[in-house]
Amino acid sequence: MKIPFFASFIIFIVWLAYELSKTRRHSEKNESSFWEKEAQANRTRRKPLDSLNYITIPFDRLPMELLTEDERISECHRILQVLKDSPIVNFTGISNTELKLEYGAPNLNLLMRYDENYTTLAGTLQKWALLLYEAGYAVEAKNILEFAISTDTDVSGSYRLLSSIYTEEGQTEKIADLLKRAENLRSGSKDTIVHILQESYR
């Protein structure tokens, strides 16, 4: 009775060793590929940045005149005014290696600054929209959020709030459009956002 069990145990050990070896080889191959790609990226020369998808803040379409006496909203306004004169580009989901390969290693610090500007923009728009919504200005909050989402923000709260406003307005069909956009995001928050919108759409 013990022999079949022992044989099964030996087979399991052999299989486990094979799987571990296969996993190790795969990991080593991926690591080697990464460093080769990184070395190539570091050798990439500076390239023009004219083709970047720069984001412009549409002040003429945003409710800049509302609740300016509220210090929290005024702070949002101040941040947006500072960003107005700064290059803003959304690089969410794009690695530094990919940026260097595409635009040249010497441009990396510059591109990271552009992306930091975008992160600040996305967070500020969400905060501003929520403050206006809580103050009873749902339509104005919607305008802010629609602009934010047009830039492919991955702030999940922006999708949640905008889908709530659409539901309140009886425009649930617009949530389907949000869902399509969210499904194309490159962010690690993509699945969370898609789930939020699927629940809202139901």
Side-chain angles (χ1 to χ4, degrees):
M1 295 294 291
K2 292 182 178 179
I3 293 176
F5 171 79
F6 182 72
S8 298
F9 179 72
I10 292 298
I11 291 171
F12 171 75
I13 292 297
V14 171
W15 172 83
L16 181 61
Y18 169 75
E19 289 297 322
L20 289 174
S21 176
K22 185 172 70 172
T23 300
R24 186 172 59 253
R25 289 196 305 271
H26 182 70
S27 176
E28 290 172 352
K29 183 179 179 181
N30 284 344
E31 184 176 354
S32 175
S33 176
F34 167 78
W35 287 115
E36 287 177 9
K37 189 175 182 181
E38 180 67 10
Q40 181 185 350
N42 287 332
R43 292 193 300 268
T44 306
R45 291 183 158 189
R46 188 189 306 272
K47 298 180 182 179
L49 301 180
D50 301 338
S51 62
L52 289 175
N53 187 23
Y54 293 100
I55 295 169
T56 302
I57 303 172
F59 286 100
D60 58 326
R61 293 193 286 111
L62 298 177
M64 300 296 293
E65 74 288 349
L66 276 180
L67 302 181
T68 54
E69 69 280 3
D70 187 311
E71 180 56 34
R72 296 167 301 172
I73 290 178
S74 292
E75 177 62 17
C76 292
H77 290 179
R78 283 194 290 271
I79 293 172
L80 294 177
Q81 290 293 345
V82 170
L83 290 174
K84 177 183 67 174
D85 300 319
S86 306
I88 307 170
V89 184
N90 181 2
F91 289 122
T92 302
I94 304 176
S95 71
N96 287 350
T97 301
E98 291 171 322
L99 287 177
K100 287 186 287 187
L101 282 170
E102 183 69 23
Y103 302 106
N107 279 326
L108 181 61
N109 288 337
L110 196 60
L111 297 174
M112 290 174 66
R113 191 154 67 246
Y114 293 179
D115 189 53
E116 287 170 5
N117 290 340
Y118 178 74
T119 299
T120 300
L121 173 66
T124 301
L125 292 173
Q126 165 60 18
K127 179 181 178 181
W128 184 23
L130 183 58
L131 288 170
L132 289 181
Y133 178 77
E134 291 175 343
Y137 294 94
V139 172
E140 289 78 6
K142 179 178 69 173
N143 290 341
I144 295 168
L145 293 169
E146 286 178 338
F147 164 59
I149 287 168
S150 75
T151 69
D152 290 327
T153 180
D154 68 341
V155 177
S156 60
S158 293
Y159 291 86
R160 182 182 289 109
L161 182 54
L162 184 55
S163 63
S164 295
I165 294 173
Y166 284 154
T167 300
E168 292 167 6
E169 293 180 341
Q171 296 181 308
T172 52
E173 72 281 356
K174 289 190 175 183
I175 299 176
D177 295 331
L178 287 182
L179 186 55
K180 290 178 183 177
R181 190 169 196 110
E183 287 171 342
N184 290 317
L185 291 175
R186 298 186 58 169
S187 167
S189 303
K190 171 184 171 179
D191 291 344
T192 298
I193 294 169
V194 167
H195 178 71
I196 288 170
L197 295 174
Q198 287 173 336
E199 290 298 311
S200 299
Y201 195 52
R202 292 195 188 104

